[in-house]
Amino acid sequence: VRGRFRMEFRDRSIDLEVGEFLIVPRGVEQRPVADEEVHVLLFEPAGTLNTGDAGGPLTVPEPGRI
């Protein structure tokens, strides 16, 4: 939506600019990374944890609904 970021995978990275989109297949590990503030719109299935299966203090077990 605003800014640019990089989606990192285990074997590559993809740079995304304003107006571009990326579909990540289910089960593929990914990490969005931004060097500066960026506004993105992510669609994920309900129940997807914000930290994946890593867990830890940053995990939101029951995210709010819009």
Side-chain angles (χ1 to χ4, degrees):
V1 174
R2 184 183 307 162
R4 68 181 81 183
F5 76 102
R6 174 177 67 258
M7 187 64 80
E8 294 182 347
F9 301 95
R10 288 194 173 270
D11 62 343
R12 63 192 164 114
S13 295
I14 297 175
D15 294 318
L16 293 157
E17 302 282 337
V18 173
E20 296 182 325
F21 69 93
L22 174 69
I23 297 173
V24 179
R26 180 185 305 259
V28 174
E29 291 182 0
Q30 80 277 345
R31 179 175 70 163
V33 178
D35 297 323
E36 298 178 3
E37 183 174 338
V38 63
H39 298 207
V40 299
L41 181 61
L42 299 174
F43 291 96
E44 297 179 322
T48 300
L49 294 177
N50 63 312
T51 55
D53 60 2
L58 298 177
T59 299
V60 179
E62 295 184 32
R65 292 189 164 257
I66 298 177

